[in-house]
């Protein structure tokens, strides 16, 4: 199943040859006047994930000045699903297929 949405990209890391993990906070609506986010760790294939290099370049550029900087992105993923960790937290995972930087005009 395909999922798409808007998220805050926190980090991109690599596991080994050709695969990696993107750490995101997915925008999941509002609760009263406060935005709700779902934490997700999405695996990706370096060759098959569209837009990954451009987004990674922008994230590194922002984090050169501030290590905690994040980036607003649009994403698409396959098999986005929830799992419970440590019997108290719900986390999400899936396969990231596309990333693009979201401009302020699109927000």
């Amino acid at each position: 199943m395909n999922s798409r949405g808007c998220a805050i990209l926190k980090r991109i890391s690599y596991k080994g040859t050709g695969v990696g993990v993107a750490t995101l906070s997915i925008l999941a609506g509002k609760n009263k006047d406060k935005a709700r986010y779902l934490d997700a760790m999405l695996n990706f294939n370096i060759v098959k994930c569209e837009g990954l290099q451009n987004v990674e370049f922008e994230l590194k550029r922002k984090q050169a000045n501030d290590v905690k900087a994040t980036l607003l992105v649009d994403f698409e993923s396959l098999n986005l699903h929830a799992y419970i960790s440590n019997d108290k937290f719900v986390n999400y995972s899936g396969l990231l297929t596309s990333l693009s930087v979201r401009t302020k005009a699109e927000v």
Side-chain angles (χ1 to χ4, degrees):
M1 184 163 95
N2 251 354
S3 300
R4 64 178 66 180
C6 180
I8 296 173
L9 178 64
K10 296 179 178 178
R11 184 173 58 172
I12 293 176
S13 55
Y14 295 94
K15 292 181 178 180
T17 56
V19 294
V21 175
T23 305
L24 304 163
S25 288
I26 301 170
L27 182 60
K30 287 189 175 184
N31 216 0
K32 297 189 178 169
D33 286 330
K34 191 174 180 182
R36 286 184 347 169
Y37 295 95
L38 304 173
D39 290 332
M41 294 181 74
L42 302 179
N43 295 316
F44 60 82
N45 181 312
I46 295 170
V47 176
K48 294 181 181 178
C49 184
E50 295 177 22
L52 177 67
Q53 290 178 339
N54 294 337
V55 171
E56 182 181 18
F57 175 78
E58 286 297 317
L59 183 62
K60 283 183 178 180
R61 189 177 63 76
K62 284 184 79 173
Q63 289 180 341
N65 297 327
D66 180 11
V67 178
K68 293 183 180 181
T70 58
L71 191 62
L72 187 63
V73 296
D74 288 317
F75 75 96
E76 286 186 32
S77 69
L78 291 173
N79 301 326
L80 185 64
H81 61 279
Y83 65 94
I84 298 173
S85 65
N86 298 332
D87 292 329
K88 34 178 151 171
F89 301 107
V90 176
N91 292 321
Y92 292 82
S93 67
L95 179 65
L96 188 63
T97 57
S98 176
L99 264 180
S100 62
V101 177
R102 181 171 259 231
T103 63
K104 289 184 181 182
E106 296 173 308
V107 174

